[in-house]
Amino acid sequence: MMQSLLIAIKNKYPKAKIDVIANKLCLPLAEFMPQINQVIELNTQHGKFDFNKRKILGKSLKGKYDLAIILPITWKSALVPFFANIPERIGFLGEMRFGLINNKIKLNKQKTPLMVDRYLLMLSQKITKDLYPKFNINTQIIQKSVALCPGASYGPAKKWPVEYFYELAEKLTNKGYLCFIFGSQAEKKDADKIKNNNPKITNYVGKLTLKESIKKMSEMEIIISNDSGLMHIASALNKKVIAIFGSSTPKHTPPLNDKAIILQTDEKCRPCFAKTCRFDHYNCLKNISVSDILKVI
């Protein structure tokens, strides 16, 4: 979704050079975003404050930039631009970042439910189709290929049941489709259950880098995914994405793609945005059936 903001910046300021500060996990994404001039790695551990590392990096960037746009709302995320002494530092006030942010953007979450629109508030814009993220990769499409993305690092309340993915894969391969499973090492156990020695299923989980996964996903005809990072990558690849929403909602983080098909239930308790189901029934996911998926393929 950040790419929508990058496109908007380039549209408004064609000569602007855009550098992005990102952690190691996100670095491969930059290769598919031509709007980015360079990526500066923030060598910190997830969840760690690492004040000194942020200070050192910030001071090394002094005098190099006119403007910083800070998308996260955390206090620590504003430290590098502050220590870099960048004249204009735009962002939401967030965690009481007085002084760190000197151009504060007001956020009304009810009026701006879409995350991508919150990013675009930095330029006082809203999402339009010309700002949809897009990864341009020249590739050969594998006929009757379906990518399965069973993971969601957020938590189980975003994960369609693995037994449903298994049943879906069996029915698809019986219909002549080839299935390919994508995800991180964390999904290996689930991926092995889905694969179940089926020769028409290729299991890439834990075997590819993020960059390699993106290139392989670009060869797919259809991508079936939980609401996850891979769903947004599939959308940026302009694929037919079948997106499964559990505790979250497409009113907040939809796949930005005209080909996308969204599946969700009308459970009264959703969207709750919880990582786990407080009722322990997960009906928002279980009530999306395999046949619901097959109907829209």
Side-chain angles (χ1 to χ4, degrees):
M1 289 179 288
M2 182 192 71
Q3 192 184 19
S4 295
L5 176 60
L6 301 180
I7 296 169
I9 293 171
K10 274 295 188 180
N11 288 346
K12 190 171 183 178
Y13 307 107
K15 294 182 179 180
K17 286 188 177 180
I18 304 172
D19 292 349
V20 173
I21 296 174
N23 61 34
K24 188 175 182 179
L25 289 175
C26 297
L27 292 180
L29 295 173
E31 183 174 328
F32 303 98
M33 300 183 188
Q35 300 81 18
I36 296 176
N37 174 55
Q38 70 167 329
V39 181
I40 300 164
E41 182 178 352
L42 180 61
N43 186 23
T44 58
Q45 293 184 29
H46 180 69
K48 298 287 185 180
F49 198 82
D50 285 326
F51 180 87
N52 285 334
K53 285 185 178 180
R54 295 173 193 274
K55 182 178 180 180
I56 291 167
L57 177 59
K59 286 185 175 295
S60 73
L61 300 176
K62 263 191 175 182
K64 295 183 179 180
Y65 300 98
D66 304 303
L67 169 69
I69 296 176
I70 301 125
L71 296 178
I73 62 171
T74 58
W75 202 81
K76 63 185 178 184
S77 65
L79 288 174
V80 172
F82 174 77
F83 284 116
N85 200 27
I86 297 173
E88 186 175 3
R89 303 183 297 278
I90 301 176
F92 301 119
L93 184 58
E95 296 177 343
M96 304 300 287
R97 300 187 292 184
F98 296 104
L100 297 178
I101 303 288
N102 59 16
N103 186 343
K104 297 180 286 294
I105 304 297
K106 291 183 179 180
L107 173 62
N108 184 317
K109 292 184 178 181
Q110 283 69 42
K111 289 184 178 179
T112 314
L114 283 175
M115 181 61 74
V116 67
D117 277 346
R118 294 178 188 179
Y119 290 170
L120 288 166
L121 276 176
M122 305 298 170
L123 293 182
S124 301
Q125 294 188 29
K126 285 195 170 186
I127 189 66
T128 51
K129 289 184 179 181
D130 62 306
L131 298 179
Y132 281 3
K134 193 170 185 180
F135 293 175
N136 292 315
I137 301 175
N138 293 322
T139 190
Q140 188 74 31
I141 303 298
I142 300 171
Q143 298 302 307
K144 295 200 76 172
S145 57
V146 178
L148 305 175
C149 305
S153 60
Y154 184 80
K158 276 192 175 187
K159 294 175 68 174
W160 199 48
V162 64
E163 58 268 25
Y164 287 24
F165 269 109
Y166 165 75
E167 182 185 345
L168 175 64
E170 288 293 305
K171 289 187 175 181
L172 286 173
T173 53
N174 286 339
K175 290 175 178 286
Y177 286 92
L178 297 173
C179 291
F180 301 80
I181 313 172
F182 292 87
S184 68
Q185 189 66 31
E187 283 89 53
K188 186 179 185 305
K189 187 176 179 180
D190 287 348
D192 288 343
K193 289 180 181 177
I194 298 166
K195 163 71 174 171
N196 195 34
N197 296 318
N198 187 328
K200 293 183 180 179
I201 300 175
T202 301
N203 183 5
Y204 285 131
V205 168
K207 299 173 183 176
L208 302 178
T209 64
L210 178 56
K211 178 180 174 180
E212 290 168 340
S213 293
I214 292 170
K215 289 186 174 181
K216 278 292 179 184
M217 287 173 68
S218 72
E219 300 173 4
M220 303 291 108
E221 279 191 341
I222 301 167
I223 299 177
I224 301 168
S225 178
N226 297 317
D227 175 20
S228 65
L230 289 183
M231 179 197 75
H232 293 292
I233 288 171
S235 180
L237 289 169
N238 199 32
K239 297 296 177 181
K240 179 179 179 179
V241 183
I242 300 173
I244 302 168
F245 281 80
S247 68
S248 57
T249 171
K251 292 180 180 179
H252 183 53
T253 52
L256 298 172
N257 178 334
D258 288 336
K259 299 177 183 178
I261 297 168
I262 293 168
L263 294 181
Q264 58 184 326
T265 66
D266 58 359
E267 294 294 320
K268 292 181 180 179
C269 54
R270 71 169 295 273
C272 66
F273 297 103
K275 295 183 179 182
T276 58
C277 177
R278 66 182 183 273
F279 302 114
D280 202 33
H281 57 51
Y282 295 93
N283 286 344
C284 61
L285 292 161
K286 289 180 178 178
N287 288 340
I288 298 172
S289 68
V290 171
S291 61
D292 289 332
I293 303 280
L294 293 172
K295 286 175 187 175
V296 295
I297 288 180

